[in-house]
Amino acid sequence: MFFWDQHKTITSCYELIAKKVRENYQLTLTLCGGDAFHLVPRIIRAVHGSNDRVKRQLGIGLQVSSITMTVFYIILMYVWKYTFPELTAPVAVEAIIWISAIIRIVVCILPQNNWCTDEGNTNGYHMTRMIAAIIISFGCYLPVTLFSKTKPKVGLLMIPKTCAYMWIVAMGLQLLF
């Protein structure tokens, strides 16, 4: 229940923000553009099979996706500041966010991640179901961000999106046991 409550709080805050800046689409484009870098090679691999070129494209795509996710949260911070100017966070908090983001991007760029090799990323855990959960999550969320203002019922897609998040958490917890 803790994870559910945390997710609903984050989702509710983001939905409030998204409604006010929907015209700008930079958040959606950042996520979708970054994810396309790894989803397209996954589709190519599923249709045509794997080879060294596809493995390299997928590895680079995962790296780009990881970096764009970090950029997404930086943009989200500024959307929050723009939407709620009366709520200010201490300068130290913003500095910590920026420093953390820069460190994360540098770590993502390090060659030790082995993004383009078979032994990189999942370390043999064969997390192929994670891919399905991520696709379900983004597939359900994209229509909500684009159409919920004009077609409110599309907001119901947040239910399977949240279920996909919970599935991702469950798969992650399985790695601990």
Side-chain angles (χ1 to χ4, degrees):
M1 288 307 290
F2 172 77
F3 291 113
W4 174 262
D5 290 341
Q6 295 302 312
H7 173 69
K8 291 308 294 172
T9 301
I10 292 168
T11 302
S12 298
C13 289
Y14 177 72
E15 289 210 359
L16 285 172
I17 292 167
K19 286 179 183 177
K20 291 198 174 210
V21 295
R22 191 170 315 277
E23 299 81 25
N24 295 328
Y25 293 114
Q26 66 258 34
L27 290 170
T28 302
L29 290 175
T30 302
L31 280 178
C32 293
D35 278 350
F37 276 93
H38 76 91
L39 293 177
V40 170
R42 287 184 195 282
I43 293 167
I44 292 169
R45 182 179 66 183
V47 172
H48 299 292
S50 188
N51 60 40
D52 288 339
R53 182 173 178 240
V54 172
K55 285 179 188 177
R56 179 165 168 65
Q57 289 172 342
L58 179 57
I60 292 169
L62 290 168
Q63 185 180 34
V64 169
S65 181
S66 183
I67 292 169
T68 57
M69 183 60 78
T70 306
V71 172
F72 167 81
Y73 285 111
I74 293 294
I75 293 171
L76 187 60
M77 176 179 68
Y78 283 100
V79 168
W80 177 76
K81 286 174 68 171
Y82 171 76
T83 306
F84 305 106
E86 67 278 1
L87 300 173
T88 57
V91 175
V93 171
E94 191 172 335
I96 289 169
I97 291 170
W98 268 104
I99 291 167
S100 299
I102 291 167
I103 290 170
R104 178 168 163 52
I105 290 170
V106 168
V107 168
C108 286
I109 293 171
L110 293 174
Q112 292 89 337
N113 288 304
N114 295 325
W115 290 104
C116 298
T117 64
D118 287 335
E119 64 266 3
N121 301 320
T122 60
N123 293 320
Y125 290 116
H126 306 290
M127 301 280 290
T128 54
R129 290 175 296 161
M130 182 78 74
I131 299 162
I134 292 168
I135 290 171
I136 291 167
S137 173
F138 281 108
C140 291
Y141 193 57
L142 183 61
V144 172
T145 60
L146 296 175
F147 304 116
S148 65
K149 190 171 186 176
T150 57
K151 298 181 189 315
K153 288 184 181 177
V154 105
L156 289 171
L157 287 172
M158 292 302 286
I159 295 169
K161 178 205 171 297
T162 302
C163 292
Y165 267 23
M166 299 309 296
W167 187 21
I168 290 168
V169 169
M171 283 186 272
L173 290 174
Q174 286 176 343
L175 296 175
L176 299 175
F177 303 107

